[in-house]
Amino acid sequence: MSRGIKMRKAVGTHGTLHRVGDLQKRHDAQQTLPTLLCDGCNVPVRFVPEHSRPGVDRAPPLHLPAYLALNKGSGHLPGCRYNAPAHLQALLAAGADAEFLTTLDDGTHELRLLILQHALKRGSAGPTLLADAPLDGYLRSLTDLLTLQAMCEDDTLLASQLTLRLGKKRVDWTNFLYRQERYDAAWERLGAASSELPMALLGTVRSHRTPQPGDPHGVTFLNCAPKYQHTGVTDRRDFYEVSVGHTDAAWLKSFPVGAEIVMFGLWRQGRSSTASRPHPTDPRRTITSVTHKLALRPSFSRQLTLVE
């Protein structure tokens, strides 16, 4: 059975609304948690507190935020807004377009990325809504689908119903959509490409860096929480950092620290940097940190979307 969308709130048996943040505080205080029901269809749900998942290749654990989920073996009822398959079908139907998002003979869909790639290469003077242009609708359809995937507990949902195509080539979802734990794979894919690639990254906003006074470029950077990658080499640490740069600081800062966001566009490899420092407990050793950059310079505001 397909699972649903990660919920941010639920109701108790007496109708009281409980948000994830409040439930986490009760969990931290070791207070009894209420019996929880979906606020859309009243099926039982459970609270999953924030926790860490073991890292890969001796990397540090990956922190996962708290969320609400279905009980094992259950599903949201038809018509519930948390019913991921039904929500997906509604998005596909709303975004159907013979040029961009087409319906295939077997009832699945195909999304043609080449249209977006060409439009993004042409660019724009700055983030715009382009309310009267087809591109705005295309970006809205794509980011709505990617937001659903970011919230969904089942990573295979979109791949089962939507084929990606870039010109004559079919693009596998694993080569298009990257969560934080796969930033290294995104960086390697960019390094193997001859040009910027249309890709989507999911991230959590860590900081905003504003330009220094007198900076002629005036670019503000939105930085996401990086991926730490242990290479197996003693005293070496690799980091994969994601940054989005634009001259509109207010727009980038509208995505607050801690927010989950979807970032789509023509990504490129930034410059890698190396820094060394003494080992904190053994002065004979040196810790070397290598930072790899994934960079995006968006042209349209819909390339960044909050996950909420």
Side-chain angles (χ1 to χ4, degrees):
M1 177 180 295
S2 180
R3 303 177 71 187
I5 297 170
K6 291 180 182 177
M7 305 164 60
R8 267 60 173 181
K9 59 184 178 178
V11 295
T13 51
H14 298 292
T16 303
L17 186 66
H18 298 280
R19 298 187 181 276
V20 167
D22 297 329
L23 292 167
Q24 182 65 50
K25 291 178 181 178
R26 293 181 66 162
H27 174 269
D28 293 342
Q30 298 184 342
Q31 298 176 352
T32 302
L33 297 179
T35 300
L36 299 170
L37 304 171
C38 171
D39 67 324
C41 62
N42 284 332
V43 299
V45 298
R46 57 190 170 88
F47 172 67
V48 181
E50 60 183 14
H51 60 286
S52 296
R53 189 169 68 194
V56 178
D57 295 331
R58 295 187 294 168
L62 180 68
H63 176 75
L64 299 173
Y67 63 95
L68 292 153
L70 291 165
N71 292 326
K72 186 175 181 180
S74 64
H76 292 285
L77 299 180
C80 178
R81 63 178 175 274
Y82 298 114
N83 186 314
H87 190 33
L88 173 59
Q89 291 305 317
L91 289 176
L92 291 173
D97 183 283
E99 185 179 15
F100 177 64
L101 183 59
T102 61
T103 303
L104 303 178
D105 292 340
D106 62 358
T108 62
H109 290 71
E110 181 177 271
L111 191 147
R112 297 173 179 173
L113 294 171
L114 193 61
I115 295 173
L116 293 179
Q117 185 183 45
H118 287 167
L120 294 175
K121 283 184 176 180
R122 290 192 298 270
S124 172
T128 60
L129 293 180
L130 297 175
D132 297 326
L135 177 63
D136 183 60
Y138 298 161
L139 285 171
R140 178 194 290 272
S141 295
L142 176 61
T143 54
D144 282 350
L145 290 165
L146 294 174
T147 299
L148 171 62
Q149 183 75 335
M151 297 178 67
C152 189
E153 297 179 66
D154 184 355
D155 274 346
T156 65
L157 179 63
L158 262 64
S160 69
Q161 296 294 319
L162 185 61
T163 298
L164 300 174
R165 188 168 296 280
L166 185 61
K168 296 181 178 181
K169 295 182 180 180
R170 178 172 176 174
V171 180
D172 192 273
W173 274 93
T174 59
N175 291 327
F176 177 71
L177 179 63
Y178 298 86
R179 297 180 186 268
Q180 179 186 353
E181 62 266 29
R182 296 186 61 240
Y183 286 170
D184 57 323
W187 189 83
E188 290 170 2
R189 176 163 166 75
L190 289 172
S194 58
S195 62
E196 296 172 318
L197 291 175
M199 300 193 313
L201 273 64
L202 308 179
T204 302
V205 180
R206 183 181 64 170
S207 65
H208 301 87
R209 181 165 62 85
T210 55
Q212 296 294 322
D215 185 338
H217 302 291
V219 175
T220 294
F221 289 94
L222 178 155
N223 303 305
C224 290
K227 188 220 171 149
Y228 168 81
Q229 175 78 22
H230 196 289
T231 62
V233 178
T234 302
D235 294 338
R236 170 171 164 155
R237 301 171 180 175
D238 279 31
F239 295 86
Y240 293 85
E241 294 189 349
V242 169
S243 64
V244 180
H246 203 275
T247 54
D248 191 336
W251 174 61
L252 286 182
K253 290 181 179 180
S254 69
F255 302 94
V257 171
E260 295 178 72
I261 61 173
V262 172
M263 301 161 283
F264 167 74
L266 299 180
W267 290 85
R268 61 179 178 84
Q269 277 189 339
R271 292 181 179 177
S272 296
S273 61
T274 302
S276 298
R277 62 180 176 83
H279 192 281
T281 59
D282 186 350
R284 296 169 299 178
R285 297 165 58 188
T286 299
I287 301 295
T288 300
S289 297
V290 182
T291 301
H292 309 281
K293 298 280 189 178
L294 296 108
L296 177 66
R297 292 293 186 92
S299 299
F300 307 100
S301 61
R302 292 200 187 277
Q303 289 180 246
L304 267 63
T305 306
L306 279 172
V307 178
E308 56 182 358

